[in-house]
Amino acid sequence: MFSYPTVRASFLFLAIAVAGLLVADIAITTANPWRDLGQFFLGVVTPNFFSTEGLLTALLRTVAFGFVGVTLGSFFGFLLALLYRFMPVRIFCAFIRAIHELFWALIFLQFFGFHPLTGVLAIAIPYAGIFAKVYSEILDESDPEPAQLLPKGTHAIAAFLYARIPDCWVQLRTYTAYRLECGLRSSAILGFVGLPTLGFYLESSFSQGMYSDAGAMLILFYVLIATMPLWVRPKALPVYILAAPFFLGEGFPIVWGNVERFFTEDIVPAPLRNGDGLAAFSSWLGDLMVSEALPGIWNTIVLTQIALVATGILSLLAFPLISKHFGGPVRRTSGHVFLVIARSTPEYILAYILLQLWGPSMLPAVVALALHNGGIIGHLIGRQTNTIHLRPDAPQGFARYSWELVPRVYRSFLAFLFYRWEIIMRETAILGILGIYTLGFYVDSAIQNIQFDRAMILILITALLNIGVDILGRYIRRKLALQTMPTC
């Protein structure tokens, strides 16, 4: 068994995660977590849709921010995809997508304030980098033969529009639709930094112990995501895109002097800003690295590796829930509902809820990351098993699972898992805002203390860490000959 590279790689990552568990802060610190969990579930089954004033407005603004951000991100991402073969463009796209939407929001809040532009740019900028990468991969995999059949002298733009785009249009449209769903999740969590989306009201309800109100918001969000195929129609998209900016709200006016001061003074390291010289800057940077950056990097890596393996285990346990090779339609329907809820709930919201119920530690983050990402991969692997035809005398039960299906989908499973590795690390870093000692904790603390220079250095480190994991993940996929599937 250990002669297979995929098996050896799996056990290596499992060993790293087990070692991480030995040093991780895994604990439940609340006095009565089961009572709190019961109250939360009672609130979910007894939702109060009429108590929160402005809930409908928050829902509309969540959709509006998602549409505007994803539209801008896809437009500029497509333009960048056309130039993605150039190294500077690839580096630029890798950098902007390595910074989480909430980090972008925290940056723009410092000079745009609570203006709609803050939320729109926080989604559009990282999504442009993501779209550029995936669109370029889709375009590179398009069939070159149609372009070769065009008459000689056909303009390059005409050849691109009439030969390459039609060949990969379905893939481009499918991925963009998936990213719109992600954009709605990103829009919702922007409320946790003060923007008027669902996350703002969800945090307010939880902090006041109004679980029925929080349950109503979660149900509305699930319905919004689940019904997207019904209301997101190609003919209606132009109407949504044109109407969305009018539902963003107005916010406070932008003080352009703050923008200038941010770039010319606030983010300039204090020793350089005060003219203290390079020696003082080296001492300042060294103190930042030892006291904040290195502990944040360590905790981010430890939490990421534990969550990655937990995601893999949950994915392998979850895919039979929707596979036609196990159980009947009733069980598969309930499995679909569970996976829809798991993958539709943003990790940040899941972690926030679990932190309120279990107290501050890495445990809520691990569970939140594993549930969300495991739901996504489990859904994709489950759909893949539905295309597999088993022989009539195939074994039943656990033997069917372990000997017939898992070996056939394991390479695809690893491809999905390593593709999500970078995403899990991005989310791990940002969960520090909730009080977990990852890089996000130190970024948020620096911003709260009006130390924007320290915050920007830490955000830069976060981006470089994510880029490094992305490069390592692609290297492992290439060494294991795993096909990357960018639909997850």
Side-chain angles (χ1 to χ4, degrees), residues 114 128 168 248 297 488:
F114 293 102
C168 54
L248 294 175
I297 291 171
C488 73

Side-chain angles (χ1 to χ4, degrees), residues 11 26 32 38 137 149 157 190 198 217 229 303 310 318 363 372 382 398 402 406 411 416 459 463-464 475:
F11 276 96
I26 302 291
N32 199 334
E137 292 174 354
L149 299 176
I157 296 178
L190 289 178
L198 275 176
M217 295 172 206
L303 180 51
L363 179 60
H372 176 77
F398 183 73
S402 57
V406 169
R411 297 182 69 82
F416 285 128
I459 290 175
L464 294 175
Y475 172 78

Side-chain angles (χ1 to χ4, degrees), residues 210-451:
M210 298 187 296
Y211 296 123
S212 293
D213 296 1
M217 295 172 206
L218 287 174
I219 290 173
L220 284 175
F221 187 71
Y222 296 143
V223 171
L224 180 71
I225 297 296
T227 59
M228 282 184 65
L230 301 178
W231 58 273
V232 180
R233 299 284 186 174
K235 292 182 179 180
L237 277 177
V239 178
Y240 294 148
I241 292 171
L242 291 174
F246 297 98
F247 291 92
L248 294 175
E250 296 181 359
F252 297 107
I254 296 175
V255 180
W256 293 105
N258 293 340
V259 180
E260 180 183 359
R261 188 183 70 246
F262 182 82
F263 286 103
T264 58
E265 297 181 26
D266 292 346
I267 64 173
V268 177
L272 300 181
R273 187 170 63 241
N274 300 330
D276 296 332
L278 291 178
F281 171 72
S282 299
S283 176
W284 176 87
L285 184 61
D287 174 70
L288 176 63
M289 292 297 297
V290 172
S291 62
E292 298 181 17
L294 291 179
I297 291 171
W298 170 256
N299 289 324
T300 299
I301 292 175
V302 168
L303 180 51
T304 297
Q305 296 311 113
I306 296 172
L308 181 71
V309 172
T311 295
I313 294 172
L314 186 61
S315 302
L316 292 176
L317 294 176
F319 82 78
L321 296 177
I322 63 170
S323 176
K324 69 179 182 180
H325 301 293
F326 302 95
V330 174
R331 189 200 52 77
R332 288 199 299 274
T333 300
S334 60
H336 272 292
V337 171
F338 169 74
L339 292 184
V340 165
I341 292 175
R343 71 176 188 268
S344 297
T345 310
E347 301 99 313
Y348 194 90
I349 291 179
L350 277 172
Y352 176 81
I353 293 171
L354 295 175
L355 276 167
Q356 307 307 307
L357 302 176
W358 296 345
S361 78
M362 288 187 178
L363 179 60
V366 170
V367 174
L369 291 165
L371 279 174
H372 176 77
N373 293 283
I376 291 174
I377 299 176
H379 168 74
L380 294 170
I381 296 300
R383 287 198 312 180
Q384 185 174 340
T385 62
N386 289 335
T387 65
I388 296 175
H389 299 284
L390 300 179
R391 64 183 189 276
D393 62 337
Q396 301 291 325
F398 183 73
R400 168 174 291 193
Y401 169 83
S402 57
W403 295 105
E404 292 287 338
L405 292 176
V406 169
R408 300 191 191 193
V409 300
Y410 197 73
R411 297 182 69 82
S412 297
F413 156 74
L414 285 182
F416 285 128
L417 189 62
F418 287 127
Y419 181 79
R420 299 293 301 183
W421 193 6
E422 175 200 3
I423 299 170
I424 291 173
M425 178 160 282
R426 288 174 71 245
E427 296 293 339
T428 299
I430 202 66
L431 291 180
I433 296 177
L434 296 175
I436 303 164
Y437 292 110
T438 62
L439 280 165
F441 173 83
Y442 298 100
V443 171
D444 188 54
S445 298
I447 291 175
Q448 295 296 327
N449 293 325
I450 320 180
Q451 296 174 321

Side-chain angles (χ1 to χ4, degrees), residues 40-58:
F40 167 69
F41 281 116
L42 179 63
V44 171
V45 298
T46 58
N48 187 352
F49 293 100
F50 304 103
S51 67
T52 303
E53 188 176 344
L55 183 57
L56 180 59
T57 301

